[in-house]
Amino acid sequence: MSETRAWTKVAELGEIPEEGALGIETDDETPIVLVRNEGEIFALRDVCSHAEVRLSEGEVEDGTIECWLHGSCFDLRSGASINPPATQPVPTYDVKIDGDDVLVSLDEKNS
Ligand code: FES
């Protein structure tokens, strides 16, 4: 099967901190948080599903990113909320690494 999805370069690998997050905006102004956890890169929408704050300012730990405002953690793979007060998931995106380039497919995986 041929690849029909569009991939957008959003960052270089070196810009994403170890066990940390980088908030970016795509050309169409979609806020995305790129997260590095245990050697893997994940992409989620950079907006908490509880209130409109940036997840990229939160802590990364054990496959999750924690919202800094009220402490809900979101699964990096599925975007699911692990604990209250957030109850809704955040959208996630597929990530592809090409050399030093980090590319995302802007089709949301879980919407
Ligand atoms: S704004 Fe993120 S948990 Fe409340």
Side-chain angles (χ1 to χ4, degrees), residues 48 50-51 53 67 69-72 85:
C48 182
H50 181 233
V53 302
C67 177
L69 189 54
H70 304 119
S72 284

Side-chain angles (χ1 to χ4, degrees), residues 47-55 66-74 81 83-87:
V47 183
C48 182
S49 63
H50 181 233
E52 302 238 331
V53 302
R54 291 294 179 106
L55 290 175
E66 180 181 30
C67 177
W68 59 272
L69 189 54
H70 304 119
S72 284
C73 291
F74 295 90
S81 166
N83 58 294
T87 56

Side-chain angles (χ1 to χ4, degrees), residues 77-94:
R77 231 169 266 283
S78 68
S81 166
I82 310 279
N83 58 294
T87 56
Q88 298 300 310
V90 294
T92 58
Y93 306 91
D94 279 330

